[in-house]
Amino acid sequence: MNLKQLSHMLALSQTTVSRALNGYPEVNEETRRRVIDAAKRHGYRPNPSARRLATGKTGMIGYVLPTGTAVDIDPHFVEFLSGLGDYARSHELDLVLSPADADDQETTYRRIVANRQVDAVYISSPRPADRRVALVSTLGIPFIVHGRSEGLDFDYPFTDIDNEGAFHEAARLLIQLGHRRLALINGDDRETFAIHRERGVRRALAASGLELGEGHVCSLAMTEENGYRAARRLLERSDAPTAIACSSLIMALGVVRAVRDLGLTIPSDLSLIAHDDVFPWLKPENFSVPLSTTRSSIRLAGARVAERLAARISGLEEGARGEVWPVDLVIRGSVAGAPG
Amino acid sequence: MNLKQLSHMLALSQTTVSRALNGYPEVNEETRRRVIDAAKRHGYRPNPSARRLATGKTGMIGYVLPTGTAVDIDPHFVEFLSGLGDYARSHELDLVLSPADADDQETTYRRIVANRQVDAVYISSPRPADRRVALVSTLGIPFIVHGRSEGLDFDYPFTDIDNEGAFHEAARLLIQLGHRRLALINGDDRETFAIHRERGVRRALAASGLELGEGHVCSLAMTEENGYRAARRLLERSDAPTAIACSSLIMALGVVRAVRDLGLTIPSDLSLIAHDDVFPWLKPENFSVPLSTTRSSIRLAGARVAERLAARISGLEEGARGEVWPVDLVIRGSVAGAPG
DNA sequence: AGAGTCTTCCAAAGCGCTTTGGCCTTTCCA
DNA sequence: TGGAAAGGCCAAAGCGCTTTGGAAGACTCT
């Protein structure tokens, strides 16, 4: 059932039927009702391929997925996706993932824009002066950045969490508890979130005349193994930290394992706070010693990004407003006063 | 730069240019070279919207993503996606995720097929007599099932791993080591993979005149917490198992925690084998006691599914061939002879 | 009553590609 | 040397929708 057939059986022109269906004003309400009714009864759905050829609108949002045998998509992505999908569903939006060579995403961005394959895109895990943000901005497609990029000479719309504030609070708490030697087990420090977290920790330390000791900050891909290695390396030092802030729950698993292997105990030998993106399958309260966290649902962020993308597509949102969400600090058993 | 302009500047008809570019035989090789050369020089890329309107081909593969606030996408998905994306990239395929109400995916399948939004789809986590498989089959769109569905009265193409064989081997090993009371901590037993794994364990036990004791099999969503609870419940029984087979590494984390909480030791009090889908961020060899596993890379499966989808789209693959991949049994420190 | 203004609808021109059907040359073979 | 077959190209008709530029009729106003 296409427009031609439908308009024919209604004895109306395609123009009128199309307008009736798309809510244009220049059509009699009575006629509109007839059209809408007939469309529903015959299950008419406009062919999206035809519509997009005519309008350029696709009803899809895009994401360039970095791939490569050496590239791992991290598990945060799936939680983000849950939120995004949840919103997208209720707005009839589909998501298209365009796999790209991790080292050459530009080509793919250009392609999906030139081909008008999607109405908007989002960018995640931005880095300082992120080229993707600059690119997408000049290409003129609506977009939202999940996270932030610093060092760009223009504003852009983003949704981020207050990573610096979160880790500042976490570090401040540890300092208040008497800790003097803190360490940070961070994610890849080429990414802005990691930079912000380190900044937060340093600021808290500086406020008390302290600093992050040489070698007391590690930046690694957020795997359990890296968490273990980093913790082990830190704790075997002569100036071992008495408290660790850790960028991920998965790394925290490794930290806990290292602590145990070394015959130490949390929190009496080591206080630990980790960032929790809220996974359904791994919860900080279920760590052998319940883990204190800085908590922010990455799933909600996904839903919010989808919402803003939808708003931008329909012209409801404009400009370069950035929003920063506060992060909860949740105290559990893994922190205590400094030993000794 | 569109076809019209390109053909005009080549002083050829659109027909010829189109044919030259698409490799049709009825065009002079000399002409073809000229056309291809000019197209490359001017960066001509056929508009996909126009092409799909004309041909119905989209260059995209689809996946219906179940969503809902109560629905969690599991982290396996992201690894599968890595493999899929890796293959798709090298073949200029995009992936479109269509979010759907988890309880009504049918509408979405019908939509994406009716609208010709994708050239093929894949289905994951199938259940016995899975309605999606039946639906997609009657809708007549190329598809591959990742996993298997039993109880359908027709054949269909799938790629699966030998879950039954894997857990049969695992159980057989444990039995050989003298274990008599085995337990299985499984995933959701509405899904085929879980059913197959249970079947494998039972078959191995039966071969030695044993069986899975009443209450010695748990089927739960694969979270750390559920692994803990299940293990705890099992180990506190008077007829506690001396060995556990576990369907996921994440659940195994919980099992290990439970064992520790109860003051028991692996492997002297309990032998443990878990299934490993090969995550980059959590490795069985890094468990406090290195974990024996049945191993199969879900990432490779993703790449294989993409490959078969591409083959089906281009007509290179037909029919309902199912393929079952063997699973590696990897012995590490978490298994030992039965205690006592 | 005539001019102007809405209201409501339509014919037709795109959007940019593929594909059908056909036309003009060459080439081949009896 | 004539007819068939093959090679190489083109004009035009779709694909199914949106949108432009009217046009006809009804209504208002002076």
Side-chain angles (χ1 to χ4, degrees), chain B residues 320-335:
Chain B
R321 194 169 55 83
E323 56 186 22
V324 177
W325 287 4
V327 175
D328 300 328
L329 179 60
V330 185
I331 313 292
R332 299 195 185 83
S334 68
V335 295

Side-chain angles (χ1 to χ4, degrees), chain B residues 200-259:
Chain B
V201 172
R202 288 193 188 278
R203 186 155 57 82
L205 286 166
S208 301
L210 301 168
E211 55 183 14
L212 264 176
E214 186 73 33
H216 277 202
V217 45
C218 314
S219 294
L220 300 161
M222 300 194 285
T223 69
E224 193 270 354
E225 184 166 1
N226 283 337
Y228 178 83
R229 291 207 181 136
R232 188 111 200 186
R233 203 177 325 128
L234 287 167
L235 296 173
E236 283 171 340
R237 297 171 65 105
S238 55
D239 60 344
T242 61
I244 290 179
C246 176
S247 258
S248 116
L249 229 51
I250 296 172
M251 290 186 113
L253 282 174
V255 174
V256 169
R257 179 162 63 94
V259 168

Side-chain angles (χ1 to χ4, degrees), chain A residues 102-160:
Chain A
D103 297 324
D104 176 28
Q105 301 180 38
E106 178 164 339
T107 306
T108 304
Y109 277 106
R110 289 190 182 281
R111 169 172 67 86
I112 64 180
V113 172
N115 291 347
R116 307 189 164 287
Q117 294 196 138
V118 295
D119 295 337
V121 300
Y122 83 88
I123 289 177
S124 68
S125 307
R127 304 180 171 196
D130 198 294
R131 300 185 53 183
R132 298 170 300 168
V133 179
L135 175 64
V136 153
S137 183
T138 64
L139 289 177
I141 187 175
F143 71 97
I144 296 284
V145 176
H146 176 220
R148 255 175 289 180
S149 175
E150 294 182 329
L152 292 170
D153 56 358
F154 58 93
D155 290 333
Y156 56 87
F158 65 82
T159 292
D160 195 7

